[in-house]
């Protein structure tokens, strides 16, 4: 049919109008979809969104809606092969999912409780959830809810090995063994993301959870082995009585160290750091070590060198766990090899005698002095322990030396790379006292504070002495008057 120019123009105009209307309708639909998504995010509670996400994934999987090519990773408790080694990913997945399962959105869950103690030593219960065999859950990665991100479907499966039928009997009449495993399913197009990003993310998140929930240990050496006890020291940086600027610098240094795995590997150095805590007795050196352990969630290894030989140090080092703090208290009292050369007169001082005794002398049953024991560790053995080839036997370790007399230590112990940060634990300053007053009585001000502040600038008193005064009664007025009198008397 031949069309005149006028008729063709009319048809073209109608087609253009129809096209514009279609575009307008599509734009409106898209706008409504965006609005609906935004409203769902704002109005729907997290529990309902999780339930919708779970129901949608199950429907898609069972009815084949929008079916796409899928991939499934099977995660067994043990790896294959003759050795049957433990599969670390299985335990990591259980730990990871335990923190993300919502009991209000799941049909059936496994619940276990374990007894733990918090940093203050109080007994508590830790809850662990897990998917029951035959059930599943959806985890959204790189997204915030069901409307965006990549969905990974976790399923729990119970598989019977060697079963002979519905009664789970094997051919020889014995019951078949059951194997529990996990299946991780996802769209095939996300295979690279699953292998290169999601699985490492699950491993890392599980490790963070374990560190956060684990009970800290304090270990003491006994021959070539470590004797372990639960560590419940309540010291935290928030309650530590010391200069706030120095405290913040230590926290920043610890956080920087804990997050520099790749940095240490790139520069070719062992992932460790050394701290020297020095100052008068009673200034909080041991409390600082406990606060460091609680802050990083590291175990403490308290090494007594008085009964250690050079060869024993190597065994003790290799049996230490990663993410730990090795502490050698009063390093100047451990052995002569760590001290500067001194004249014969200085060798007769009580402090020097203590070092030669390896911790002091004792008496036998008849009252006569027992033979003095001298430490068999040498300076070279200790340096090889903290900075030699054996120091690379573990990762993420902190070494702490404490001493009351820094000037008595050999310079070889103090250089950077061995003791990287030297922390002077001094007498009680005004800021440290305010922290103690807040800890003991929850007070930030008092009429006696100005006088106490003035006295602290003129009197050398340790935080331990101030703490002892604050413990004498529960009445702030009585305690602060007593502390003021104590400082005045000490000043005279």
């Amino acid at each position: 049919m031949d069309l005149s120019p006028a008729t063709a123009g009319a048809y073209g105009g109608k087609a253009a109008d129809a096209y514009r209307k279609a575009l307008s309708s599509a734009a409106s639909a898209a706008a409504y979809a965006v609005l609906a998504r935004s409203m769902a995010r704002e109005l729907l509670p997290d529990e309902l969104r999780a339930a919708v996400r779970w129901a949608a994934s199950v429907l898609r999987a069972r009815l084949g809606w929008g079916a796409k090519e899928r991939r499934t990773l099977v995660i067994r408790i043990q790896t294959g092969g003759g050795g049957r080694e433990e599969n670390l990913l299985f335990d990591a997945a259980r730990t990871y999912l335990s923190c993300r399962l919502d009991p209000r959105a799941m049909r059936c869950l496994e619940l276990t409780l374990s007894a733990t103690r918090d940093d203050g030593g109080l007994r508590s219960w830790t809850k662990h959830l897990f998917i029951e065999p035959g059930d599943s859950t959806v985890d959204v990665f790189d997204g915030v809810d069901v409307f965006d991100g990549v969905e990974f479907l976790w399923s729990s499966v119970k598989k019977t090995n060697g079963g002979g039928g519905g009664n789970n009997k094997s051919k020889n009449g014995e019951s078949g063994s059951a194997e529990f495993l996990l299946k991780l399913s996802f769209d095939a197009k996300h295979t690279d993301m699953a292998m290169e990003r999601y699985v490492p993310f699950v491993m890392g998140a599980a490790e963070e959870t374990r560190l956060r929930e684990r009970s800290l240990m304090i270990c003491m050496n006994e021959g070539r082995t470590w004797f372990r006890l639960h560590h419940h020291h309540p010291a935290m940086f928030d309650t530590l009585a010391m200069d706030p600027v120095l405290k913040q610098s230590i926290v920043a240094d610890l956080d920087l160290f804990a997050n520099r795995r790749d940095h240490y590997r790139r520069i070719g150095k062992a992932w460790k750091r050394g701290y020297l805590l020095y100052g008068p007795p009673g200034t909080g050196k041991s409390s600082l070590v406990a606060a460091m352990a609680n802050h990083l969630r590291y175990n403490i290894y308290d090494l007594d060198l008085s009964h250690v030989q050079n060869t024993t140090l190597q065994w003790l080092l290799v049996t230490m766990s990663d993410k730990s703090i090795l502490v050698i208290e009063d390093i100047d009292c451990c052995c002569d090899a760590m001290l500067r050369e001194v004249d014969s007169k200085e060798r007769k001082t009580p402090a020097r005698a203590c070092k030669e005794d390896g911790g002091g002398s004792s008496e036998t049953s008849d009252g006569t002095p027992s033979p003095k024991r001298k430490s068999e560790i040498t300076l070279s053995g200790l340096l090889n322990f903290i900075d030699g080839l054996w120091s690379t036997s573990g990762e993420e370790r902190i070494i702490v030396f404490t001493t009351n007399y820094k000037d008595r230590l050999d310079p070889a112990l103090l250089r950077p790379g061995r003791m990287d940060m030297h922390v002077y634990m001094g007498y009680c300053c005004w800021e440290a006292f305010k922290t103690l007053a807040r800890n003991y009585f929850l007070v930030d001000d008092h009429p006696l504070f100005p006088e106490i502040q003035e006295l602290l600038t003129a009197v050398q008193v340790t935080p331990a002495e101030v703490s002892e005064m604050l413990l004498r009664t529960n009445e702030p007025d009585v305690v602060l008057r007593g502390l003021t009198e104590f400082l005045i008397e000490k000043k005279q």
Side-chain angles (χ1 to χ4, degrees), residues 81-101:
R84 303 293 292 174
E85 296 180 356
E86 179 184 4
N87 188 351
L88 299 180
L89 179 56
F90 186 89
D91 288 337
R94 286 183 63 101
T95 303
Y96 173 78
L97 292 174
S98 177
C99 301
R100 284 160 175 77
L101 293 175

Side-chain angles (χ1 to χ4, degrees), residues 277-290 330 402-404 425:
L277 311 183
Y278 67 100
T283 52
K285 294 184 284 293
S286 297
S287 295
L288 177 56
V289 173
D330 297 321
T402 72
T403 180
N404 298 332
M425 305 293 292

Side-chain angles (χ1 to χ4, degrees), residues 139-350:
D139 185 38
V140 178
F141 182 61
D142 274 3
V144 295
D145 55 31
V146 72
F147 300 107
D148 53 17
V150 178
E151 293 185 356
F152 290 91
L153 178 65
W154 289 93
S155 303
S156 179
V157 179
K158 180 180 180 181
K159 180 181 178 182
T160 302
N161 300 323
N167 58 357
N168 289 337
K169 296 288 185 178
S170 61
K171 293 181 179 181
N172 58 7
E174 297 179 356
S175 299
S177 60
E179 178 186 12
F180 293 90
L181 53 87
L182 290 171
K183 290 185 177 181
L184 175 61
S185 302
F186 45 87
D187 289 344
K189 65 180 181 180
H190 298 310
T191 301
D192 290 341
M193 174 185 287
M195 300 299 295
E196 298 175 6
R197 294 178 54 197
Y198 184 65
V199 170
F201 169 77
V202 170
M203 295 292 291
E207 180 64 18
E208 291 179 1
T209 301
R210 292 192 189 104
L211 287 177
R212 189 169 56 250
E213 295 181 351
R214 74 171 180 172
S215 297
L216 298 185
M217 307 295 292
I218 183 168
C219 312
M220 300 171 290
N221 58 301
E222 189 175 36
R224 291 190 174 190
T225 60
W226 294 101
F227 180 73
R228 290 170 169 81
L229 295 171
H230 286 285
H231 174 237
H232 301 305
H233 199 295
M236 305 293 289
F237 277 104
D238 290 341
T239 59
L240 207 59
M242 61 183 300
D243 180 75
V245 176
L246 177 60
K247 185 192 307 185
Q248 185 56 43
S249 67
I250 296 173
V251 172
D253 192 75
L254 290 172
D255 291 340
L256 180 63
F257 166 78
N259 292 290
R260 301 186 87 181
R261 175 195 297 269
D262 295 337
H263 173 78
Y264 278 90
R265 289 182 177 178
R266 179 173 57 83
I267 64 178
K269 290 180 65 68
W271 192 9
K272 64 179 182 62
R273 191 156 180 82
Y275 293 82
L276 175 69
L277 311 183
Y278 67 100
T283 52
K285 294 184 284 293
S286 297
S287 295
L288 177 56
V289 173
M292 294 167 68
N294 289 331
H295 179 74
L296 293 174
R297 305 302 300 171
Y298 284 9
N299 291 327
I300 295 177
Y301 288 79
D302 189 6
L303 179 62
D304 180 7
L305 292 179
S306 62
H307 302 284
V308 173
Q309 300 177 357
N310 287 335
T311 55
T312 309
L313 277 176
Q314 299 172 355
W315 288 99
L316 292 172
L317 181 62
V318 298
T319 53
M320 285 177 56
S321 65
D322 295 340
K323 299 181 182 296
S324 59
I325 300 177
L326 175 68
V327 183
I328 303 179
E329 295 190 277
D330 297 321
I331 185 67
D332 55 301
C333 292
C334 292
C335 68
D336 297 339
M338 300 173 202
L339 304 174
R340 299 177 188 271
E341 290 298 327
V342 291
D343 56 31
S344 58
K345 181 178 180 180
E346 186 177 357
R347 290 176 184 271
K348 301 303 182 180
T349 62

Side-chain angles (χ1 to χ4, degrees), residues 64-85:
W65 293 350
K68 299 178 182 179
E69 186 180 0
R70 303 280 291 177
R71 294 283 186 271
T72 299
L73 300 178
V74 178
I75 305 169
R76 305 180 188 276
I77 296 180
Q78 292 179 321
T79 61
R84 303 293 292 174
E85 296 180 356

